[in-house]
Short mmCIF file of all heavy atoms in Angstrom, two decimals:
data_model
loop_
_atom_site.label_atom_id
_atom_site.label_comp_id
_atom_site.label_asym_id
_atom_site.label_seq_id
_atom_site.Cartn_x
_atom_site.Cartn_y
_atom_site.Cartn_z
N VAL S 280 73.59 69.82 120.30
CA VAL S 280 73.82 71.15 119.71
C VAL S 280 73.94 71.07 118.19
O VAL S 280 73.26 71.80 117.45
CB VAL S 280 75.09 71.79 120.32
CG1 VAL S 280 75.42 73.08 119.59
CG2 VAL S 280 74.89 72.04 121.80
N LEU S 281 74.81 70.19 117.69
CA LEU S 281 74.99 70.06 116.25
C LEU S 281 73.72 69.57 115.56
O LEU S 281 73.37 70.02 114.47
CB LEU S 281 76.15 69.11 115.94
CG LEU S 281 77.57 69.65 116.10
CD1 LEU S 281 78.59 68.57 115.79
CD2 LEU S 281 77.80 70.86 115.21
N GLY S 282 73.02 68.64 116.21
CA GLY S 282 71.79 68.12 115.64
C GLY S 282 70.72 69.19 115.51
O GLY S 282 69.98 69.23 114.51
N TRP S 283 70.63 70.07 116.50
CA TRP S 283 69.66 71.17 116.43
C TRP S 283 70.00 72.09 115.27
O TRP S 283 69.12 72.53 114.52
CB TRP S 283 69.67 71.95 117.74
CG TRP S 283 68.61 73.00 117.79
CD1 TRP S 283 67.28 72.83 118.04
CD2 TRP S 283 68.79 74.41 117.57
NE1 TRP S 283 66.61 74.05 118.00
CE2 TRP S 283 67.51 75.02 117.70
CE3 TRP S 283 69.90 75.21 117.28
CZ2 TRP S 283 67.34 76.40 117.55
CZ3 TRP S 283 69.72 76.58 117.13
CH2 TRP S 283 68.45 77.15 117.28
N ALA S 284 71.30 72.39 115.10
CA ALA S 284 71.73 73.25 114.00
C ALA S 284 71.40 72.62 112.65
O ALA S 284 70.98 73.32 111.71
CB ALA S 284 73.22 73.53 114.11
N ILE S 285 71.58 71.31 112.52
CA ILE S 285 71.25 70.62 111.27
C ILE S 285 69.76 70.71 110.98
O ILE S 285 69.34 70.98 109.85
CB ILE S 285 71.70 69.14 111.34
CG1 ILE S 285 73.22 69.05 111.33
CG2 ILE S 285 71.11 68.33 110.18
CD1 ILE S 285 73.76 67.67 111.64
N ASN S 286 68.95 70.49 112.01
CA ASN S 286 67.49 70.56 111.82
C ASN S 286 67.04 71.96 111.44
O ASN S 286 66.12 72.13 110.63
CB ASN S 286 66.78 70.09 113.09
CG ASN S 286 66.63 68.58 113.14
OD1 ASN S 286 65.80 68.01 112.45
ND2 ASN S 286 67.46 67.95 113.96
N VAL S 287 67.67 72.98 112.01
CA VAL S 287 67.34 74.36 111.63
C VAL S 287 67.68 74.59 110.16
O VAL S 287 66.89 75.17 109.39
CB VAL S 287 68.10 75.37 112.52
CG1 VAL S 287 67.96 76.78 111.96
CG2 VAL S 287 67.57 75.32 113.95
N ALA S 288 68.87 74.12 109.74
CA ALA S 288 69.27 74.28 108.34
C ALA S 288 68.29 73.57 107.40
O ALA S 288 67.91 74.11 106.36
CB ALA S 288 70.69 73.74 108.14
N LEU S 289 67.88 72.36 107.78
CA LEU S 289 66.93 71.62 106.96
C LEU S 289 65.58 72.34 106.89
O LEU S 289 64.96 72.42 105.82
CB LEU S 289 66.74 70.21 107.51
CG LEU S 289 67.94 69.25 107.40
CD1 LEU S 289 67.66 67.97 108.17
CD2 LEU S 289 68.23 68.93 105.94
N ALA S 290 65.11 72.85 108.03
CA ALA S 290 63.80 73.51 108.08
C ALA S 290 63.76 74.76 107.20
O ALA S 290 62.72 75.08 106.60
CB ALA S 290 63.45 73.87 109.52
N PHE S 291 64.89 75.44 107.09
CA PHE S 291 64.95 76.65 106.28
C PHE S 291 65.19 76.36 104.79
O PHE S 291 65.06 77.26 103.98
CB PHE S 291 66.06 77.57 106.80
CG PHE S 291 65.63 78.46 107.94
CD1 PHE S 291 65.52 77.96 109.23
CD2 PHE S 291 65.34 79.79 107.72
CE1 PHE S 291 65.13 78.77 110.28
CE2 PHE S 291 64.94 80.62 108.76
CZ PHE S 291 64.83 80.10 110.05
N CYS S 292 65.54 75.11 104.47
CA CYS S 292 65.93 74.80 103.08
C CYS S 292 65.12 73.65 102.48
O CYS S 292 65.51 73.09 101.45
CB CYS S 292 67.42 74.46 103.03
SG CYS S 292 68.51 75.76 103.62
N MET S 293 64.02 73.24 103.10
CA MET S 293 63.27 72.07 102.66
C MET S 293 62.10 72.41 101.75
O MET S 293 61.43 71.51 101.25
CB MET S 293 62.76 71.29 103.87
CG MET S 293 61.74 72.05 104.72
SD MET S 293 61.43 71.30 106.34
CE MET S 293 60.74 69.73 105.87
N GLY S 294 61.82 73.69 101.53
CA GLY S 294 60.63 74.05 100.77
C GLY S 294 59.38 73.85 101.62
O GLY S 294 59.46 73.57 102.81
N THR S 295 58.23 73.96 100.99
CA THR S 295 56.96 73.82 101.72
C THR S 295 56.14 72.61 101.29
O THR S 295 55.09 72.34 101.87
CB THR S 295 56.11 75.09 101.53
OG1 THR S 295 55.88 75.29 100.13
CG2 THR S 295 56.82 76.31 102.10
N ASP S 296 56.63 71.87 100.30
CA ASP S 296 55.89 70.68 99.83
C ASP S 296 56.32 69.46 100.64
O ASP S 296 57.15 68.66 100.22
CB ASP S 296 56.17 70.47 98.34
CG ASP S 296 55.35 69.31 97.76
OD1 ASP S 296 54.45 68.81 98.47
OD2 ASP S 296 55.61 68.92 96.60
N LEU S 297 55.72 69.33 101.82
CA LEU S 297 56.10 68.22 102.70
C LEU S 297 55.66 66.88 102.14
O LEU S 297 56.37 65.87 102.30
CB LEU S 297 55.49 68.44 104.09
CG LEU S 297 55.89 69.75 104.81
CD1 LEU S 297 55.32 69.76 106.22
CD2 LEU S 297 57.40 69.92 104.83
N ASP S 298 54.50 66.82 101.48
CA ASP S 298 54.05 65.57 100.86
C ASP S 298 55.01 65.13 99.77
O ASP S 298 55.28 63.93 99.60
CB ASP S 298 52.65 65.74 100.27
CG ASP S 298 51.57 65.85 101.34
OD1 ASP S 298 51.82 65.35 102.47
OD2 ASP S 298 50.51 66.43 101.07
N GLY S 299 55.54 66.10 99.02
CA GLY S 299 56.51 65.78 97.98
C GLY S 299 57.78 65.17 98.54
O GLY S 299 58.36 64.26 97.95
N LEU S 300 58.21 65.66 99.69
CA LEU S 300 59.40 65.10 100.34
C LEU S 300 59.15 63.67 100.80
O LEU S 300 60.01 62.80 100.66
CB LEU S 300 59.80 65.96 101.54
CG LEU S 300 60.30 67.38 101.27
CD1 LEU S 300 60.60 68.10 102.58
CD2 LEU S 300 61.55 67.35 100.39
N MET S 301 57.96 63.43 101.34
CA MET S 301 57.65 62.11 101.88
C MET S 301 57.41 61.07 100.78
O MET S 301 57.67 59.88 100.98
CB MET S 301 56.41 62.20 102.78
CG MET S 301 56.63 62.99 104.06
SD MET S 301 57.83 62.21 105.18
CE MET S 301 56.93 60.73 105.63
N ASN S 302 56.90 61.51 99.65
CA ASN S 302 56.51 60.56 98.59
C ASN S 302 57.39 60.64 97.36
O ASN S 302 57.01 60.20 96.28
CB ASN S 302 55.04 60.81 98.20
CG ASN S 302 54.10 60.63 99.37
OD1 ASN S 302 54.14 59.62 100.06
ND2 ASN S 302 53.24 61.62 99.63
#
Side-chain angles (χ1 to χ4, degrees):
V280 173
L281 282 179
W283 186 79
I285 291 170
N286 275 285
V287 170
L289 291 172
F291 275 78
C292 301
M293 65 193 297
T295 58
D296 185 9
L297 302 185
D298 289 336
L300 293 178
M301 292 295 293
N302 300 309

